[in-house]
Amino acid sequence: MSALDVRAFTVGPVQENSYIVRAHGDATAAVIVDPGDEPARLLAAAEALGAEIEAILVTHCHFDHIGAVAPVARATGAPVYCPGIERPVLADVMRWVPPGFGPFENYEADHTLVGGERLNLAGIDFEVIFTPGHSPGHVTYATNGALLSGDVLFQGSVGRVDLPGGDWATLERSIAGLLDAFPADTVVYPGHMGVTTLGRELDTNPFLSERRVRDPRVAAADSPAAGR
Ligand SMILES: [Fe+2]
């Protein structure tokens, strides 16, 4: 049973989920994933938990996921981990923000990621997985029965692929990679909407219907031989 303590804060006009993650409920160290907006609220939440933010993890650099990176980094001194391909976006945020949003501050990432890294931050082991398709450099952070997966997979939906660098076939491969690598009860903490599991999405997500037909776990459950 995972002791991981994950707190969700839905922030900003696009209702993005920022997560404060600790190794357990009494831990005094935390990481924050995708601080998208409302930095004062996120910092106050960490303080209320008695947790110091030791690292800032970014899944991808759409503005709704990075709007509070600079102020949270400044307030905490925590290093920022960002997909390498998207580092220039974080460093020049407003160039990519549609009219009516922001302003957001630029930030030069302290560490860049390509996927395949293993990080130990705030006493938590994270595996970094390259999951492009929604955006070109998107990464997912996997730890202890949980995925912090940004805009890859949602409850009943998937990340949009019509923004620059988006591609459906690529996203589909990224989702398939997660389904292959992690068990069905893996908890998915997505960048928007509610928490789900890989198994629930494999069973019910309309965007995964083709995958459902091919997945041996589902095929076994559907087969007339099941229940023997
Ligand atoms: Fe996004």
Side-chain angles (χ1 to χ4, degrees), residues 205-223:
N205 191 313
F207 291 89
L208 304 184
S209 55
E210 272 188 47
R211 164 82 194 191
R212 204 140 50 230
V213 173
R214 294 195 302 267
D215 192 286
R217 286 168 290 186
V218 176
D222 288 346
S223 119

Side-chain angles (χ1 to χ4, degrees), residues 3 5 13 20 27 47 57 73 75-76 84 86 107 115 117 122-124 133 138 151 156 190 194 196-197 205 224:
D5 186 271
I20 294 177
E47 196 179 335
L57 305 182
T76 61
E86 301 185 17
Y107 191 86
E117 296 89 349
I124 306 166
H138 196 298
D151 290 357
T196 185
T197 64
N205 191 313

Side-chain angles (χ1 to χ4, degrees), residues 4-11 15-22 30-36 42 45-46 49 53 55-57 59 65 72 126 141 147-151 153-154 187-196:
L4 199 70
D5 186 271
V6 183
R7 308 289 174 114
F9 302 88
T10 304
V11 297
Q15 296 284 284
E16 185 265 350
N17 295 332
S18 301
Y19 295 99
I20 294 177
V21 184
R22 291 178 296 163
V31 303
I32 188 164
V33 180
D34 287 355
L42 296 171
L49 291 169
I53 292 174
I56 299 167
L57 305 182
T59 62
H65 292 250
V72 170
F126 291 99
Y141 298 95
L147 299 175
L148 293 130
S149 54
D151 290 357
L153 180 64
F154 301 126
V187 181
V188 175
Y189 294 95
H192 300 274
M193 302 182 282
V195 174
T196 185

Side-chain angles (χ1 to χ4, degrees), residues 134-147:
H134 169 70
S135 72
H138 196 298
V139 296
T140 287
Y141 298 95
T143 182
N144 206 7
L147 299 175

Side-chain angles (χ1 to χ4, degrees), residues 106-124:
N106 299 334
Y107 191 86
E108 278 293 345
D110 300 281
H111 302 280
T112 55
L113 302 166
V114 296
E117 296 89 349
R118 288 183 183 272
L119 308 173
N120 183 280
L121 301 166
I124 306 166

